[in-house]
Amino acid sequence: TQLLEQSPQFLSIQEGENLTVYCNSSSVFSSLQWYRQEPGEGPVLLVTVVTGGEVKKLKRLTFQFGDARKDSSLHITAAQPGDTGLYLCAGTREGRGNQFYFGTGTSLTVIP
Amino acid sequence: NAGVTQTPKFRILKIGQSMTLQCTQDMNHNYMYWYRQDPGMGLKLIYYSVGAGITDKGEVPNGYNVSRSTTEDFPLRLELAAPSQTSVYFCASNTQGAGTEAFFGQGTRLTVV
């Protein structure tokens, strides 16, 4: 089992729809990041959240860090085909600052 | 800017063979990591390093070895390849460890037959 579980694992939606991806754990994290990965490429950072309850917006993407710092969500408004990709959360555990662990991944397909 | 460079991009190994996956970065990052990614899944940490001469195990270190003789290079060694090691391997680096942006190479796709 992985430390960070993402849901759903796969998501296929029509262009213009909204969606939310969840990243959950039983462990506390001092920070959490979201990455996006396209086929044949390495992940690229979207955002870092460090404070419990923090909300960050990046155009149509909204990221939230849970109050207890055990979970996070990514909400996309009016999805576009260019949003298609694998979304990965990655967390730094409390007291283990040298490692960060990736979630199980959510594969998003936006159909034109 | 080169960033993180991995070689080779693709490799097919026979069971029991050995190989080294190369990773080099030109950003003067202290922290470097090796991950493996199975199809459609997240990344699992194999080994990481916080600086030259210092390495430590991640989640799935069995069957792998690493060294860090310079800041720039962090090779990953497979001594006796097994089919379970078929995966895509990513090398990453960052400046101050977890919580700062990690930069990834383009990956090495390894198949063990």
Side-chain angles (χ1 to χ4, degrees):
Chain A
T1 59
Q2 285 197 228
L3 202 59
L4 287 162
E5 294 287 336
Q6 288 184 235
S7 61
Q9 187 176 0
F10 299 98
L11 192 54
S12 181
I13 62 171
Q14 295 289 330
E15 182 176 0
E17 292 184 346
N18 302 331
L19 66 113
T20 301
V21 177
Y22 299 93
C23 174
N24 295 299
S25 178
S26 56
S27 297
V28 176
F29 291 88
S30 54
S31 69
L32 205 135
Q33 298 174 316
W34 283 92
Y35 288 79
R36 180 164 159 265
Q37 183 180 22
E38 297 195 21
E41 302 288 331
V44 176
L45 181 68
L46 295 173
V47 77
T48 300
V49 286
V50 297
T51 306
E54 182 176 2
V55 177
K56 278 193 176 179
K57 291 191 175 183
L58 193 68
K59 296 184 181 177
R60 295 176 294 102
L61 277 62
T62 301
F63 305 86
Q64 184 161 8
F65 200 10
D67 291 341
R69 291 185 287 130
K70 293 182 178 181
D71 54 82
S72 180
S73 63
L74 157 62
H75 182 78
I76 301 179
T77 304
Q80 299 177 359
D83 295 328
T84 293
L86 182 68
Y87 288 81
L88 297 159
C89 61
T92 310
R93 287 180 68 183
E94 288 271 280
R96 301 192 183 188
N98 296 329
Q99 302 181 35
F100 58 110
Y101 299 89
F102 278 83
T104 47
T106 295
S107 180
L108 170 66
T109 302
V110 181
I111 303 164
Chain B
N1 292 333
V4 179
T5 303
Q6 289 182 238
T7 56
K9 284 190 168 57
F10 303 94
R11 184 70 185 269
I12 298 175
L13 277 183
K14 292 186 178 179
I15 294 172
Q17 285 186 322
S18 61
M19 76 164 294
T20 299
L21 283 66
Q22 301 290 346
C23 175
T24 187
Q25 52 93 6
D26 62 0
M27 297 173 283
N28 201 33
H29 287 167
N30 284 330
Y31 292 77
M32 296 187 75
Y33 310 82
W34 273 106
Y35 291 90
R36 59 174 287 173
Q37 184 177 35
D38 296 324
M41 300 298 289
L43 286 76
K44 292 189 177 180
L45 181 64
I46 305 171
Y47 270 96
Y48 68 99
S49 169
V50 302
I54 306 168
T55 62
D56 208 346
K57 296 177 180 178
E59 301 170 270
V60 289
N62 291 344
Y64 307 94
N65 276 302
V66 294
S67 60
R68 185 95 181 272
S69 56
T70 67
T71 298
E72 294 78 19
D73 300 307
F74 190 40
L76 177 72
R77 179 88 178 156
L78 283 71
E79 290 294 348
L80 290 170
S84 61
Q85 294 177 304
T86 293
S87 191
V88 180
Y89 292 83
F90 286 98
C91 178
S93 72
N94 58 11
T95 52
Q96 297 177 10
T100 58
E101 180 176 6
F103 295 85
F104 285 81
Q106 289 201 306
T108 296
R109 184 176 295 276
L110 175 67
T111 303
V112 182
V113 296

